[in-house]
Structures are given as C-alpha cells and as structure tokens.
Amino acid sequence: MSFTTSTALASKLPQAKDLSHLFVPTFRIHQKSPFKAVMGTPTLDMINMAGGVPHPSTFPLEQVQATVRAPSHAAPGRTGTLSLERTQANGSTESLNELLQYNDGRGMASYCRFLRQFTEQAHAPPYADWDVVASCGNTDSIAKAVSLFCQQGDHIIVEQYSFPGALSNLVFAKVKPVPVAMDIEGVDPVALDSLCSSWTGATLLRAIYVIPTGQNPTGATMSLARRKALYAVAQKHDLVIIEDDPYYFLQLGPMPETQDTTATDMNKLSLVPSLLSLDTDGRVIRLDSFSKILAPNLRCGWITAPAYIQDRMQILNESTILQPSGLTQGVISRLLNDTWGIEGWIEHLNAL
C-alpha cells in the first residue's frame, strides 16, 4: 500500500487557487524567512555566532528512551522501547543533536514527512500544491490562521456557539466575531449565505472559523452533505475556511456487529470526509492536533494548506514559537515512523 501521492497522480491535480488577495496587507507581499536570513542552513559542525547557535557538544542529553505500549488496546501489556540517540539518526528520525538544535518554522523533516503521508491517506487533498507545517496545537494555530486574513477592526464569521479559546484569541487580536446560526449539524449554510449576501460592514468578510466534528461546545458534527453545502457557500462568497478539527478521528460511526480494534485501513474508521478532502480550490486551512489522539501536553499538531500560505505560516512560527519542541517532535516521529508505523497509528486511532 502506498501512502504518498504518486508523481503521476499529483500531475493530474489542479494547483490551488491564489487567494492572496484575501491576506491582510502585511502578508500580501512574499517575505523571506527571518530564520534563514540570520541562521542560513544550520549544520552540526559550525557554530553560528550571528544566530547565537550553541554547539551540540554542550547539550547534556546523551540518550532518550521511552517504553510505549502496542497501538491497540486489544493487546494489553504488550510494550516496546523507543529511543533517540545523540549523534546517529534513529531510523527515520533525526539524531538528538539535530532535534535539540534550532530549526526553521516548518518543523522537523521526519515529523512533517509522516504527517504528509498520513494527510494523503486520511484526506487526499484534491489539489497538488498542499503541504504541512508543524504547530504547537490548535489554539496557537487558530491565532496564526486568523492573523493572515484579519487585522484589528476586521470581522470573522464564527459559529453561533464557538470554542472559548478561539474567541479569546479574537479578543486579543481585536477582531470582531460575526456569529452565524447553527442547527443540529452545525453551521446553517442558508444562514451563512444570507449573512454574506446582506453584509454591509466596513470591511469584507474574508474567513469563517468552524469546528465541523464534535463541535465545541455543542457537540454537533456536520454530515457530508452539510460540509459540501458549507464549502459551496464559501466558494460563492470567496471565503477562506479555517477547519479546526481536533476531534476528527474520534468520530463514532454506525455500530458494527463486531468491533475490530486492530483495523489498519482508514476506510474502516467510518469517518465523514473532511472539508480538506472537498477542497478543490485550496481555500481550507486545516488544523490538526495530537492533543486528543496522543496526549494534550505534547503541544504538537500540524497545519495543512496550500504551499504559498505555508510560507506565511513558517514566518509566523519563526516570529513566535520558532517551531514546536524538537524533542517532542522527535519522540512523535520515532513512535509513528519507526515504532508503530502508519498501520499501527491507524490501529491506535481505531482503538480510541
């Protein structure tokens, strides 16, 4: 089974539409990475005085080990050992010297490589030039996604009842939420269309923030038909969709006659297709997190969006967090790339 998009398949997919006209003025001009401007390309053999880069010989960690259980709860007591070594690569994962050193705002290569493979398997974005960027979880990602399209005094569409963490982000950014009516499935697309058609605010509505699965606080989950209707309205009114979806892999589908907790096929997880999987334009910024599916205080997740948007996300990371903890990324990468593998990861998700 292949988990990456083949070159032949990618060549048949369209490129994302250029929605940079929706950016706030700061981000309409392509900016160079401030990290690379100062650091260049970090190496393990060079001390970069301009960037204040310490030599890895000063790092005190020689080895990191963890005992991890098997991916399925159907095998209680079965464990394995995960290790990260100081100077040598650990399977697909970087050495500790690399993981503990400064790096750019994209994220560690092995971490992002797995997430590209998994995103292709789980969502198969229907355009060619998408990419992933590492995040510190969705609350931080929300702030960054909003800042690309809204500045002080602007408005953003939110669900009638919305995640308090997202709303507090808007308060600090001085961006005004515009609520849209909901029903048992979440955002009402008819109400959204009416809101956009009748909008007379001083600034354009450029984005909508939604939690399509297990919505917080209502628990609503959009059906496939509802997601398609929402996407159609976003296309009609040229909206970017910020898809905050930390509960996506916790969906409860139809109850099977027998529960297979060792399934390694995404099709057996009975998941409603994501908005990203419907995104022929490249107007969905999808936010994923390990908080609900591994552990909250790992503070790691990923953002999926068109490459030109990810260039801006990289700059936002480098001006705030730089990137999530390299050590945490290394542990997750070693677990998912080398200890469980993608089949084991899917088995873990099925067992949650």
Side-chain angles (χ1 to χ4, degrees):
M1 181 180 293
S2 173
F3 301 115
T4 57
T5 304
S6 69
T7 303
L9 177 58
S11 67
K12 295 178 181 178
L13 293 173
Q15 297 291 302
K17 290 185 176 180
D18 184 357
L19 302 180
S20 59
H21 61 281
L22 297 176
F23 286 151
V24 299
T26 302
F27 291 106
R28 287 179 193 161
I29 300 172
H30 182 73
Q31 302 176 41
K32 293 183 178 180
S33 161
F35 175 87
K36 289 186 177 179
V38 175
M39 302 286 195
T41 301
T43 70
L44 297 178
D45 300 320
M46 180 181 72
I47 300 176
N48 184 332
M49 302 299 290
V53 179
H55 194 273
S57 63
T58 65
F59 303 161
L61 296 182
E62 292 291 339
Q63 183 188 61
V64 172
Q65 277 195 347
T67 301
V68 297
R69 70 181 181 213
S72 173
H73 296 300
R78 184 157 58 94
T79 61
T81 300
L82 173 158
S83 65
L84 297 170
E85 305 295 335
R86 182 183 182 95
T87 59
Q88 63 189 34
N90 303 276
S92 301
T93 304
E94 295 85 353
S95 68
L96 274 175
N97 279 352
E98 294 170 280
L99 294 169
L100 295 173
Q101 188 55 277
Y102 287 121
N103 219 300
D104 68 28
R106 291 278 176 168
M108 299 307 299
S110 65
Y111 176 88
C112 292
R113 183 168 57 247
F114 178 88
L115 294 173
R116 288 187 196 99
Q117 294 173 346
F118 179 60
T119 298
E120 174 61 36
Q121 173 102 356
H123 306 289
Y127 63 95
D129 53 332
W130 60 272
D131 201 0
V132 301
V133 164
S135 75
C136 272
N138 283 14
T139 302
D140 183 60
S141 298
I142 292 165
K144 292 186 166 97
V146 169
S147 71
L148 288 176
F149 302 98
C150 300
Q151 58 190 357
Q152 182 175 336
D154 283 347
H155 297 76
I156 186 171
I157 304 169
V158 300
E159 293 150 311
Q160 182 179 3
Y161 308 101
S162 193
F163 172 46
L167 296 177
S168 66
N169 265 328
L170 299 183
V171 170
F172 287 117
K174 297 184 179 179
V175 173
K176 301 172 185 177
V178 180
V180 63
M182 300 173 65
D183 60 19
I184 196 171
E185 286 194 42
V187 170
D188 179 345
V190 174
L192 177 61
D193 185 28
S194 176
L195 170 66
C196 293
S197 297
S198 60
W199 178 251
T200 57
T203 59
L204 291 174
L205 294 173
R206 295 190 288 268
I208 178 170
Y209 166 76
V210 295
I211 308 171
T213 311
Q215 201 268 352
N216 185 346
T218 67
T221 293
M222 295 183 189
S223 65
L224 176 56
R226 176 59 59 90
R227 293 172 197 235
K228 287 180 176 179
L230 169 62
Y231 190 80
V233 175
Q235 287 181 306
K236 176 181 177 181
H237 294 285
D238 201 19
L239 298 174
V240 167
I241 301 173
I242 301 173
E243 180 182 26
D244 182 9
D245 218 0
Y247 305 101
Y248 182 73
F249 297 102
L250 302 180
Q251 294 179 49
L252 292 175
M255 182 63 70
E257 293 183 8
T258 58
Q259 181 67 25
D260 179 6
T261 59
T262 62
T264 60
D265 184 341
M266 286 296 303
N267 293 327
K268 293 184 179 179
L269 296 184
S270 301
L271 303 175
V272 178
S274 64
L275 288 164
L276 175 63
S277 73
L278 307 174
D279 185 21
T280 53
D281 293 348
R283 65 176 64 250
V284 173
I285 299 177
R286 180 175 171 84
L287 314 181
D288 279 284
S289 172
F290 286 112
S291 292
K292 309 300 188 286
I293 51 181
L294 271 183
N297 218 24
L298 290 171
R299 303 317 306 145
C300 267
W302 68 102
I303 302 168
T304 308
Y308 74 93
I309 291 179
Q310 299 294 41
D311 291 342
R312 276 76 174 178
M313 286 294 182
Q314 176 180 349
I315 291 168
L316 286 167
N317 269 350
E318 290 172 357
S319 62
T320 52
I321 61 167
L322 193 55
Q323 68 167 239
S325 163
L327 183 58
T328 303
Q329 289 183 75
V331 170
I332 294 173
S333 170
R334 188 78 165 118
L335 175 67
L336 301 186
N337 275 306
D338 304 314
T339 307
W340 285 356
I342 199 160
E343 292 90 351
W345 172 236
I346 295 170
E347 184 179 343
H348 165 77
L349 294 175
N350 186 57
L352 288 176

